[in-house]
Amino acid sequence: MEQEQTKRIVLGITGGIAAYKAAELLRLLMKQGIEVQVAMTEAACHFITPATMQGLSGKPVFAGQWEAGAANGMAHINLSRAADAIVIAPATADFIAKLAHGLADDLLSALCLARNCPLLVAPAMNREMWLNAATQRNIAQLLADGVRVLGPDSGVQACGEEGMGRMLEAEDLARDIAAFFQPKPFTGKKILITAGPTYEAIDAVRGITNRSSGKMGYAIAQAALELGAEVVLVSGPTALARPRGAQVVDVVSAAQMFGAVKQHAGDCDVFIGVAAVADYRVAQPSEQKIKKSSDALTLELLPNPDILAYVANLPDPPFCVGFAAESENLMEYAEQKRRAKKLPLLVGNLAQRAIGSDDNELVLFDGSGSHVLPRAGKLALARQLMQHITQRYEGAQK
Ligand code: CTP
């Protein structure tokens, strides 16, 4: 995450089994350069010890209302004044009820009430507790009060039941919190992204595809969401988790991808073609499995429509970003492609270094030349790329 100045968070932990995840969350937040002060309710201390949180944060933990931690005895005021946000993770049903009613009978609820900064809560509870009308009323009240509610997620719960109510994983929370601090230049804007491979059927069980994993496109969708955009992700077959908050349109073939893109291209502000679209499809795929014989088999291939070129040539096109995966002569071929497709921005990478990997290295080509984004994780690169797109997009609007 690129941050102008260090952000400070009070991480409030309340008494639920998911409190164990708070240790990992603390670690991830600190890794992102966020300064964290931990405050725990008494009940939370039964699930995870203040010593653990103190050891990880390197700071004394506030765990009770009456301790002499604050010089002036005003911990509830001091702590909230120093913070850029308060994050309650996990937030139990009981604590959420307290927040909804403005109760302040322990340090953590008091500092929430005394705060002058944003409050984010990550609910964690049994599914019946979550679905209970009282909890739903309280959550609706928090939302109406401007509190940001992160999750919950659904799945197997500590009690053995399955359903909605489990706290988001630490990684998701850390990502949401980092995103919360980022400026949102794409609020109210729609970004359309294609990702993954396409699959062109030969017969009922065989097809032509490629080794694209979809990781780069999905990371870009995540980065675009973090900047406030409405994201439509048209995805070929992948095994990746969907970016939370994106509208994902699943497709298989290039023709289906083209159809989905046509539906959304008209009102999108930015189009990013990351998909490795098959350049050809089989002229006449067989409905039944083709049986082998000793004869040679010839497949007739027809060219697929170029989706990116179609969007870039719309009468009032969105800001179009293309990708080029080359196996050689990246600098030369990529710039040629950018000019040929008339794109304001083209992202080049070497196929053999990118495909399937969690890392990548990108070269951005635009009217002013080329710019290298050195090797890094795909999400980190996606965030840098989105910063670049933001600048170029805003420049193009002027
Ligand atoms: N693309 C597309 N539709 C296609 C083929 C490509 O939208 N039918 C998009 C890709 O998503 C990518 C860009 O075009 O953003 C570059 O694709 P690429 O296959 O590298 O370029 P081609 O022009 O097809 O050239 P070649 O395959 O010969 O390298």
Side-chain angles (χ1 to χ4, degrees):
M1 188 183 57
E2 284 187 352
Q3 273 178 208
E4 278 159 21
Q5 65 199 83
T6 306
K7 295 291 179 197
R8 285 181 290 194
I9 281 179
V10 171
L11 174 60
I13 307 173
T14 68
I17 184 66
Y20 81 92
K21 293 185 187 175
E24 180 66 359
L25 174 60
L26 168 62
R27 210 184 56 78
L28 292 172
L29 291 172
M30 290 174 64
K31 210 170 137 192
Q32 298 189 85
I34 296 174
E35 225 178 276
V36 188
Q37 170 64 58
V38 177
M40 301 170 69
T41 62
E42 227 174 288
C45 300
H46 291 284
F47 290 93
I48 186 165
T49 69
T52 302
M53 303 309 287
Q54 179 161 335
L56 288 172
S57 69
K59 284 188 196 152
V61 165
F62 286 83
Q65 191 165 14
W66 310 116
E67 64 188 34
N72 58 0
M74 292 280 175
H76 62 298
I77 303 292
N78 298 352
L79 281 176
S80 68
R81 289 297 173 276
D84 293 300
I86 299 174
V87 178
I88 309 293
T92 58
D94 178 66
F95 197 79
I96 286 168
K98 271 190 193 178
L99 290 175
H101 291 89
L103 298 184
D105 62 354
D106 62 8
L107 175 66
L108 195 52
S109 52
L111 79 89
C112 288
L113 198 62
R115 79 184 187 279
N116 59 359
C117 63
L119 175 62
L120 292 79
V121 300
M125 66 197 74
N126 162 273
R127 69 189 172 112
E128 298 296 353
M129 292 171 87
W130 172 252
L131 291 174
N132 190 288
T135 305
Q136 289 303 312
R137 254 194 331 268
N138 292 335
I139 286 287
Q141 185 60 55
L142 291 192
L143 289 170
D145 293 345
V147 174
R148 180 69 70 94
V149 179
L150 307 175
D153 205 356
S154 76
V156 179
Q157 305 199 309
C159 55
E161 292 181 9
E162 202 166 338
M164 200 68 166
R166 44 179 283 160
M167 188 167 87
L168 291 179
E169 293 304 330
E171 222 169 84
D172 293 326
L173 284 175
R175 194 181 293 155
D176 286 357
I177 293 163
F180 177 80
F181 287 121
Q182 282 186 28
K184 303 277 181 284
F186 284 109
T187 301
K189 307 280 180 202
K190 179 169 162 180
I191 300 187
L192 178 61
I193 300 168
T194 63
T198 63
Y199 176 92
E200 311 298 323
I202 295 173
D203 66 14
V205 297
R206 304 181 182 95
I208 300 171
T209 186
N210 59 65
R211 290 172 49 216
S212 164
S213 65
K215 285 178 187 166
M216 196 66 226
Y218 276 56
I220 291 170
Q222 172 64 36
L225 287 165
E226 291 175 5
L227 298 185
E230 175 195 344
V231 173
V232 178
L233 177 62
V234 180
S235 173
T238 77
L240 300 173
R242 289 152 184 266
R244 243 174 338 110
Q247 181 189 341
V248 182
V249 184
D250 290 305
V251 296
V252 175
S253 63
Q256 288 172 358
M257 186 171 274
F258 191 30
V261 165
K262 277 202 256 185
Q263 269 189 14
H264 290 279
D267 66 345
C268 75
D269 301 282
V270 177
F271 174 73
I272 312 176
V274 197
V277 187
D279 286 327
Y280 298 92
R281 67 181 181 280
V282 178
Q284 280 178 324
S286 162
E287 272 183 28
Q288 302 304 328
K289 189 177 166 205
I290 301 172
K291 302 307 276 181
K292 70 168 172 281
S293 78
S294 50
D295 299 338
L297 177 69
T298 304
L299 290 174
E300 189 191 349
L301 300 179
L302 298 175
N304 273 328
D306 190 317
I307 301 171
L308 176 60
Y310 164 85
V311 178
N313 283 296
L314 285 171
D316 183 17
F319 184 87
C320 284
V321 182
F323 264 70
E326 305 292 348
S327 58
E328 58 175 354
N329 298 338
L330 174 66
M331 302 303 270
E332 189 189 328
Y333 290 162
E335 179 57 19
Q336 267 172 19
K337 232 170 239 183
R338 186 185 80 80
R339 285 168 194 267
K341 296 202 189 190
K342 298 193 192 92
L343 303 173
L345 180 63
L346 184 122
V347 185
N349 56 171
L350 280 172
Q352 57 273 41
R353 296 216 197 136
I355 285 178
S357 164
D358 288 332
D359 291 3
N360 202 353
E361 182 184 321
L362 303 177
V363 189
L364 314 186
F365 298 84
D366 60 23
S368 62
S370 64
H371 178 77
V372 176
L373 299 184
R375 189 151 204 94
K378 285 185 174 172
L379 183 56
L381 282 175
R383 286 178 175 145
Q384 291 175 57
L385 171 62
M386 282 310 303
Q387 295 296 340
H388 199 87
I389 291 177
T390 306
Q391 285 166 13
R392 298 283 311 174
Y393 171 75
E394 284 171 352
Q397 302 309 298
K398 281 175 193 153

